[in-house]
Amino acid sequence: MKPHATAAAIDARRRQAAQKLEQVEKAIGQLRRERGRLTVRAIAQRAGVSATFLYENSNARALVSNAVDGSRTRQVQATQAEHEQIEASWRERALNAEAELGRTQKEVFAQRQQIGELMGNLRDLDQMVPGESVQALTSENITLKRRVQQLTREHRTLRERLEGARSNNRFADKRIADLEAQVLARLPHQPPRGN
């Protein structure tokens, strides 16, 4: 083979490699805009080059490596932000349920105290008033007892809701931990660098 033919072949091969690198860059940009999954295979397919070229050409390998690493970092950040939002939502629900439970407990205590005072007054009046007043007080007492029962049911319902919210929060924490483990498992392990 003649020296000028060899030089021409080398020059043609360099132009071809440069053209393929441009295609790889273009493919990476398209996949990013489309929010496609950035993998070696997807980039090679979109660029119309072989995966072997991407592994063997150092410039192409660097482009693909940077793109894949950047994509994984963005995915991890997006997943983490989503988990933080879910966790904040469950925490807020649990705090709201606890606040409502506290308010209901105070109201039940106040109602019980009022019932106690009224029962004492009823006993005092029972000894001093005629039958009609006793009947009115008895009906009021029955009404107050029903109100106490209603408040007790509401208290029980709120306590169940609080337990449900706490259970959901524990489930969300477990799910977040599982998803974080999955994300970490998908990250490539960097081989130790040799000499």
Side-chain angles (χ1 to χ4, degrees), residues 76 79-80 83 86-87 168-187:
V76 168
T79 302
Q80 186 175 3
H83 295 310
I86 291 169
E87 186 176 343
N168 288 340
N169 196 18
R170 285 190 297 271
F171 174 78
D173 287 342
K174 183 179 181 303
R175 180 72 177 134
I176 288 168
D178 290 344
L179 290 173
E180 287 174 348
Q182 289 175 6
V183 167
L184 289 175
R186 290 184 182 170
L187 290 177

Side-chain angles (χ1 to χ4, degrees), residues 24-45:
V24 168
E25 287 177 357
K26 185 177 177 182
I28 289 171
Q30 288 173 345
L31 286 170
R32 279 184 179 152
R33 280 190 299 280
E34 296 170 3
R35 301 205 184 271
R37 187 175 169 108
L38 288 173
T39 62
V40 174
R41 183 167 293 183
I43 293 170
Q45 190 174 26

Side-chain angles (χ1 to χ4, degrees), residues 22-144:
E22 288 177 19
Q23 290 172 300
V24 168
E25 287 177 357
K26 185 177 177 182
I28 289 171
Q30 288 173 345
L31 286 170
R32 279 184 179 152
R33 280 190 299 280
E34 296 170 3
R35 301 205 184 271
R37 187 175 169 108
L38 288 173
T39 62
V40 174
R41 183 167 293 183
I43 293 170
Q45 190 174 26
R46 180 66 64 97
V49 299
S50 68
T52 306
F53 172 77
L54 296 179
Y55 287 115
E56 289 180 353
N57 185 294
S58 61
N59 292 333
R61 187 172 53 242
L63 282 172
V64 170
S65 177
N66 290 338
V68 170
D69 290 345
S71 173
R72 285 187 182 140
T73 301
R74 284 189 296 277
Q75 287 174 348
V76 168
Q77 290 171 348
T79 302
Q80 186 175 3
E82 182 181 343
H83 295 310
E84 288 172 0
Q85 183 181 9
I86 291 169
E87 186 176 343
S89 171
W90 282 111
R91 279 192 188 132
E92 184 177 336
R93 289 178 186 175
L95 290 174
N96 289 342
E98 286 180 0
E100 189 64 26
L101 180 63
R103 187 194 65 76
T104 304
Q105 286 174 334
K106 287 178 184 176
E107 187 174 340
V108 167
F109 178 74
Q111 292 290 336
R112 284 182 179 168
Q113 193 172 14
Q114 185 179 6
I115 288 171
E117 291 172 5
L118 290 174
M119 290 293 284
N121 291 341
L122 184 61
R123 283 189 206 111
D124 293 342
L125 290 175
D126 192 25
Q127 296 170 1
M128 300 175 358
V129 291
E132 289 179 14
S133 297
V134 171
Q135 286 178 350
L137 289 174
T138 303
S139 67
E140 186 177 339
N141 185 30
I142 290 171
T143 304
L144 287 174

